[in-house]
Amino acid sequence: MAFVCVQNAGRSQMAAAFAEQERDRRGVGDRIEIVTGGTQPADHVHDIVVEAMAEVDIDISDRTPREVTPDELQAIDLVVTMGCSASDVCPATWNGENRDWGLDDPHGRPIEEVRAIRDEIAERVDAVFDDAVPESVSME
């Protein structure tokens, strides 16, 4: 599963962190790979995003935005874009499913708005895992 946006400095970083947490919680680390990247990566994850994630005890301060490659996406079953049109911003093609979440970019927004974006991402990641990994197969 891949979470892709333009800068890979906000929404996709939050989604990947929540997905990693959910993958571990459900005990499916051997079955689900999490990839995140951008088409024009920023120099660093936005400070406001790091702050919002720290509020829910997830530290992403050491993460660095990276470019996602077409080759990486070829092997992915689900590519989630964060509000960028896959055809405009994510020119790579992939064989799997694509979902665009249509989320606002948290960059430059007040913390209250970033929290709302963060919480929506958490809910959507949860729903993706509910579809991909039913609770009955989790390790809980």
Side-chain angles (χ1 to χ4, degrees):
M1 136 181 351
F3 298 96
V4 179
C5 63
V6 177
Q7 293 188 330
N8 189 225
R11 297 164 290 187
S12 57
Q13 290 285 351
M14 288 190 280
F18 281 123
E20 291 162 0
Q21 183 180 58
E22 192 61 19
R23 177 188 64 192
D24 294 346
R25 185 184 76 77
R26 293 184 189 227
V28 292
D30 59 334
R31 294 181 24 216
I32 297 179
E33 178 185 3
I34 309 295
V35 173
T36 187
T39 55
Q40 298 171 10
D43 293 333
H44 64 279
V45 175
H46 302 309
D47 293 337
I48 195 82
V49 170
V50 171
E51 178 184 342
M53 292 300 284
E55 292 177 354
V56 294
D57 296 323
I58 298 176
D59 182 7
I60 61 170
S61 62
D62 62 344
R63 297 187 183 214
T64 303
R66 58 180 288 280
E67 186 172 355
V68 67
T69 67
D71 289 342
E72 276 182 297
L73 296 181
Q74 282 296 325
I76 301 293
D77 293 329
L78 172 63
V79 176
V80 179
T81 52
M82 300 287 131
C84 58
S85 163
S87 60
D88 291 347
V89 180
C90 307
T93 58
W94 49 84
N95 297 320
E97 178 185 354
N98 172 242
R99 298 180 190 181
D100 186 77
W101 284 355
L103 297 164
D104 291 331
D105 187 346
H107 183 62
R109 295 186 182 270
I111 188 68
E112 297 79 18
E113 291 180 29
V114 177
R115 287 178 185 133
I117 295 165
R118 174 202 65 203
D119 295 346
E120 184 170 348
I121 290 170
E123 289 176 18
R124 289 179 184 224
V125 166
D126 228 16
V128 165
F129 272 84
D130 286 346
D131 290 345
V133 186
E135 285 289 336
S136 61
V137 299
S138 74
M139 301 294 285
E140 281 195 316

